[in-house]
């Protein structure tokens, strides 16, 4: 079997946390990486280049159509196309945990903006390039929370439910363009943002390991193999799926 040709893959929120782990792993597999992030994109891309990868960073707010359009243009110019998009940027680690009747409508809308409008904007911006690619890959980072329904983060849970629904609808629309659309649903993961916000202690042991077949904390490295598979040519007949990566906490 011939080795796969590398792809150009844009990762939103790729400058830190789970997103950076994704970028590092995809770069190690030989893919060209576009890191799109509100902050730290250039520095993160610099680290990948220092390790021998082809990578660029673009400052980008996924909520802004102008920013994501600019990101797509820069990526296409630099690498002559885009083959994959990973919608990873999301509001989670900085959220205050509170009962739903204490969530303001502004907080609700902000979470929906970043977690659902963001992936929509990015998918639209890269669609012409993915169509041209002929082996386009779109991967949305959801969560297991829409299946488990934890309390005190109703806006976040609803937003990730929307991400899974969006994934299914796009899979049907884009199959004719040979673009697959899938989601990864991570369990609670000790990302940089989680550790900085001390979320692992605020959220309690219940979210961390209870109900998991594999009784240990999840780390970003646990997620990278699932992404590598979904962007691979070998996954070309897999679309519309949500792959839970959480040590066997939920069965979809
Ligand atoms: N950590 C977990 O337990 C967990 C579990 C399930 C799903 N997820 C999802 O995984 C993804 C990454 O989570 P994480 O824990 O690494 O988060 P994080 O907070 O550590 O990192 C998020 C990254 O996204 C960037 N970002 C935030 N808003 C942005 C915007 N508007 N535009 C561009 N970039 C933006 C941040 O700068 C940061 O680099 C999120 O979508 C999150 O909802 C996380």
């Amino acid at each position: 079997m011939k080795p796969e040709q590398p792809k150009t893959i844009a990762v939103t929120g790729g400058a830190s946390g789970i997103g950076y782990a994704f970028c590092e792993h995809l770069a190690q597999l030989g893919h060209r990486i576009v890191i799109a992030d509100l902050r730290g994109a250039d520095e993160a891309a610099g680290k990948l280049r220092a390790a021998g990868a082809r990578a660029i960073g673009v400052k980008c707010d996924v909520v802004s159509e102008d920013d994501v359009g600019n990101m797509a243009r820069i990526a296409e110019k630099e690498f002559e196309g885009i083959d994959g998009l990973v919608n990873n940027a999301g509001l989670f680690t900085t959220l205050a945990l509170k009962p739903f009747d204490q969530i303001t409508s502004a907080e609700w809308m902000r979470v929906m903006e970043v977690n659902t409008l963001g992936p929509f904007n990015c998918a639209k911006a890269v669609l012409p390039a993915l169509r041209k690619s002929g082996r386009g890959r779109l991967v949305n980072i959801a969560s297991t929370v829409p299946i488990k329904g934890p309390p005190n983060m109703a806006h976040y849970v609803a937003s990730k439910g929307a991400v899974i629904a969006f994934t299914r609808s796009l899979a049907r629309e884009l199959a004719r363009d040979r673009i697959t659309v899938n989601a990864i649903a991570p369990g609670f993961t000790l990302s940089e943002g989680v550790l900085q916000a001390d979320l692992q202690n605020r959220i309690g042991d219940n979210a961390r390991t209870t109900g998991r077949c594999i009784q240990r904390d999840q780390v970003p490295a646990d997620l990278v193999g699932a992404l590598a598979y979904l962007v691979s040519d070998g996954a070309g007949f897999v679309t519309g799926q949500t792959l839970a990566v959480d040590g066997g906490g939920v069965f979809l």
Side-chain angles (χ1 to χ4, degrees):
M1 211 166 75
K2 276 203 309 194
E4 285 189 17
Q5 289 298 314
K7 293 185 172 74
T8 296
I9 301 172
V11 182
T12 68
S16 70
I18 293 170
Y20 185 72
F22 284 151
C23 292
E24 208 174 24
H25 187 67
L26 294 177
Q28 282 161 2
L29 294 176
H31 298 299
R32 299 170 290 267
I33 307 298
V34 180
I35 298 183
D37 204 305
L38 271 181
R39 57 191 82 83
D42 273 340
E43 294 86 333
K47 275 200 280 176
L48 296 183
R49 284 195 300 273
R54 290 190 68 193
I56 56 167
V58 184
K59 185 173 161 56
C60 171
D61 179 350
V62 294
V63 172
S64 156
E65 273 186 292
D66 286 349
D67 277 13
V68 298
N70 184 49
M71 180 271 290
R73 272 190 301 279
I74 292 174
E76 277 205 79
K77 198 167 161 213
E78 178 76 20
F79 295 128
E80 293 165 8
I82 306 172
D83 308 293
L85 168 69
V86 183
N87 274 318
N88 165 79
L91 275 190
F92 172 54
T93 60
T94 52
L95 294 180
L97 304 176
K98 49 172 101 164
F100 100 95
D101 58 346
Q102 289 174 26
I103 295 173
T104 65
S105 54
E107 286 172 318
W108 180 278
M109 293 309 290
R110 181 65 188 147
V111 170
M112 288 297 164
E113 236 186 354
V114 178
N115 294 5
T116 69
L117 179 64
F120 165 80
N121 279 343
C122 293
K124 256 171 82 173
V126 303
L127 181 59
L130 294 189
R131 281 194 169 123
K132 258 189 259 161
S133 157
R135 50 183 193 142
R137 297 283 182 270
L138 213 159
V139 181
N140 295 318
I141 306 308
S143 169
T144 52
V145 295
I147 295 100
K148 292 166 83 173
N152 299 323
M153 50 173 95
H155 43 0
Y156 179 71
V157 175
S159 74
K160 291 298 185 179
V163 168
I164 292 174
F166 178 55
T167 300
R168 293 174 180 171
S169 177
L170 275 199
R172 291 211 189 272
E173 286 195 30
L174 300 184
R176 70 178 74 94
D177 297 313
R178 287 181 290 160
I179 300 169
T180 65
V181 188
N182 292 289
I184 293 175
F188 186 71
T189 304
L190 300 185
S191 66
E192 238 169 284
V194 162
L195 295 173
Q196 264 164 27
D198 197 31
L199 202 54
Q200 75 280 14
N201 289 317
R202 290 194 285 124
I203 210 157
D205 285 346
N206 197 34
R208 289 176 63 166
T209 55
T210 306
R212 278 189 184 160
C213 299
I214 302 170
Q215 284 285 305
R216 67 158 170 82
D217 277 323
Q218 180 164 355
V219 293
D222 291 318
L223 291 156
V224 300
L227 180 66
Y229 166 65
L230 289 174
V231 302
S232 72
D233 289 346
F237 203 56
V238 176
T239 197
Q241 304 304 308
T242 299
L243 179 54
V245 182
D246 67 339
V250 299
F251 298 145
L252 296 178

